[in-house]
Amino acid sequence: MSADFGFKLRALLTDRGMSLRGTARALNYNVAYLSRVSNGRQRPSVQLAEMLDDFLQADGELVQLAAAGSPVAVLESSGPDSDISHIKESATFTLRHADQYGGDSVAPVAVQVWRSAQRKLDAGEIPDAAQRRYLAAVSEAAEVAGWLLFDAGEHGAARNAFLESHMLARHAGERALEWFALDMLAMLDTERDRPGGVLRIADEVLSQRRIPPRVALLARVRRGRALAQIGERQRALVDLSAARGGLEHSLDPRDPEWTWWVNQQEVRGHSGHAFLSLSDLGSAIPTFHEALERATPRGAMLYRIELVRSYAQGKAWKEVEEEIHKILPLLDVISSGRNRLLLRDALQVVDQGASVPVGLSALVRDTVATITP
């Protein structure tokens, strides 16, 4: 499949110490096309596969992967336990891949795994004894698919996946997965600048009894972001401060497994976004820099994009240019529709600024051309 080809291509480039841009120049191929191929968003031609195989001395491996071109195997009829194991293994792989390279190429894989399992449920193929566990596994598969679709910039499809996950979790009696789906829906509404929806979800979660500490912490983070979007500075900072304070304690035994990723870097990043929404650049910029310290590659790209936006609002053109130059190499590696949308929006803020240096305007135009399909 194209994702396997892209994965191998990126590994070979890293191993050979070569960049995607340099390879495109050497082979006289369009870098945007080669980027789509490397990130699994476009299947390579036979000619390109042969040229890359020869150029990177891959001993025919790239040609074989291009020839295979088959989609990821769907779940086979091997029993509920085997299916559940496959769902979990797929989730581990796709999420790890997305943290390093973005969600574009693996979102279709996650959707396929989810839909394949969902079909078995709908067809009544799951024995009663395994129904509850299978429902929970499919709910989690929909959750993973939704997150990866979100990272790929497919907001409508992501929302449908989160809603489906929430319904399946309720049928399974899995309260933890219900909270997870609600958190993802709040995340999506935050991204789409719909603070009212976020506030309703956060208040619903926080009104429930005996909420695990980190579930409550995440609800406060989401609420803090929403309050910042509507200009409620004091209330927003109270929620975000409470979330940071809650991280000082170790995970509670009641905390769901999915909350493992909640850490100081994550809360710092959300705080940076909140400060930016409040037009507090003096707090937003250093907070984003702090969030960068241990961010995943995909997260680092996101925070640098927000630094471009922050510096542009403050007309710090030198710093804007520096951040764009730091982002450009990441575009060869990370394929995230979400980040491309955010980058285009941030570059528009730069382009609309007063007294933008001529060189920076040219850099912005070149960058927009690079990320435009």
Side-chain angles (χ1 to χ4, degrees):
M1 62 176 282
S2 56
D4 288 339
F5 182 96
F7 187 88
K8 183 61 180 179
L9 174 57
R10 289 193 299 274
L12 287 167
L13 290 171
T14 300
D15 184 62
R16 308 294 192 265
M18 304 182 70
S19 72
L20 200 65
R21 289 178 186 278
T23 302
R25 284 195 297 270
L27 300 181
N28 197 29
Y29 265 86
N30 180 277
V31 67
Y33 167 60
L34 197 57
S35 177
R36 290 194 295 273
V37 169
S38 73
N39 287 293
R41 291 188 289 120
Q42 186 165 340
R43 291 178 63 178
S45 66
V46 174
Q47 180 185 20
L48 175 60
E50 291 174 346
M51 292 178 69
L52 285 167
D53 202 288
D54 182 65
F55 184 68
L56 297 171
Q57 299 179 333
D59 297 324
E61 191 168 358
L62 287 175
V63 173
Q64 291 174 9
L65 286 170
S70 58
V72 166
V74 297
L75 297 179
E76 299 176 356
S77 298
S78 48
D81 289 338
S82 178
D83 286 356
I84 291 170
S85 295
H86 176 72
I87 290 169
K88 292 186 178 297
E89 288 168 6
S90 297
T92 299
F93 168 77
T94 53
L95 291 172
R96 185 180 297 132
H97 179 94
D99 271 345
Q100 296 296 318
Y101 305 112
D104 286 11
S105 62
V106 287
V109 176
V111 170
Q112 188 176 25
V113 171
W114 161 39
R115 291 298 190 190
S116 181
Q118 181 80 53
R119 278 193 293 272
K120 289 193 173 187
L121 272 177
D122 294 343
E125 297 178 14
I126 310 304
D128 289 345
Q131 274 279 338
R132 188 172 181 274
R133 290 186 298 111
Y134 205 88
L135 278 165
V138 181
S139 171
E140 192 168 357
E143 204 88 58
V144 170
W147 157 247
L148 294 169
L149 287 165
F150 169 76
D151 192 60
E154 300 183 33
H155 290 165
R159 185 175 186 82
N160 289 338
F162 294 145
L163 289 171
E164 185 72 16
S165 174
H166 187 259
M167 182 194 71
L168 291 166
R170 290 187 66 182
H171 281 298
E174 288 286 344
R175 197 68 174 277
L177 289 175
E178 286 188 59
W179 289 324
F180 196 5
L182 289 172
D183 180 66
M184 291 292 97
L185 286 165
M187 172 194 71
L188 184 57
D189 278 350
T190 300
E191 187 86 0
R192 302 179 76 176
D193 200 18
R194 295 177 174 176
V198 181
L199 292 172
R200 286 190 293 273
I201 291 171
D203 289 342
E204 176 187 339
V205 172
L206 290 169
S207 69
Q208 296 176 24
R209 298 179 61 186
R210 289 186 54 77
I211 296 295
R214 295 216 168 186
V215 174
L217 182 155
L218 271 169
R220 290 191 180 94
V221 167
R222 304 299 184 196
R223 189 169 66 182
R225 288 284 306 276
L227 289 168
Q229 287 177 337
I230 61 176
E232 293 274 0
R233 179 186 177 89
Q234 190 58 40
R235 292 176 63 199
L237 296 184
V238 166
D239 267 332
L240 291 166
S241 177
R244 283 194 300 273
L247 282 171
E248 298 301 321
H249 306 290
S250 61
L251 279 167
D252 187 278
R254 294 187 296 118
D255 286 321
E257 184 180 352
W258 59 265
T259 60
W260 64 267
W261 52 270
V262 186
N263 56 29
Q264 288 288 357
Q265 302 303 113
E266 188 74 22
V267 177
R268 282 194 189 102
H270 284 291
S271 297
H273 287 291
F275 284 128
L276 186 54
S277 294
L278 293 165
S279 299
D280 183 353
L281 303 181
S283 298
I285 290 170
T287 303
F288 282 130
H289 277 293
E290 289 174 5
L292 270 169
E293 292 174 4
R294 294 185 181 179
T296 64
R298 180 190 51 77
M301 185 174 177
L302 171 63
Y303 297 141
R304 291 205 181 281
I305 290 169
E306 294 310 294
L307 281 169
V308 167
R309 190 191 312 274
S310 301
Y311 284 130
Q313 289 185 12
K315 296 182 173 53
W317 305 127
K318 178 175 178 293
E319 287 78 5
V320 168
E321 184 172 353
E322 289 174 354
E323 290 302 328
I324 292 175
H325 280 299
K326 289 173 183 175
I327 289 170
L328 286 174
L330 297 174
L331 293 173
D332 287 339
V333 178
I334 299 166
S335 182
S336 163
R338 176 199 183 195
N339 280 359
R340 287 194 303 277
L341 289 169
L342 291 171
L343 180 56
R344 276 197 288 270
D345 186 55
L347 292 173
Q348 188 174 29
V349 175
V350 179
D351 199 42
Q352 293 173 348
S355 306
V356 179
V358 174
L360 178 56
S361 292
L363 177 61
V364 167
R365 287 195 299 273
D366 289 345
T367 307
V368 169
T370 298
I371 61 178
T372 300

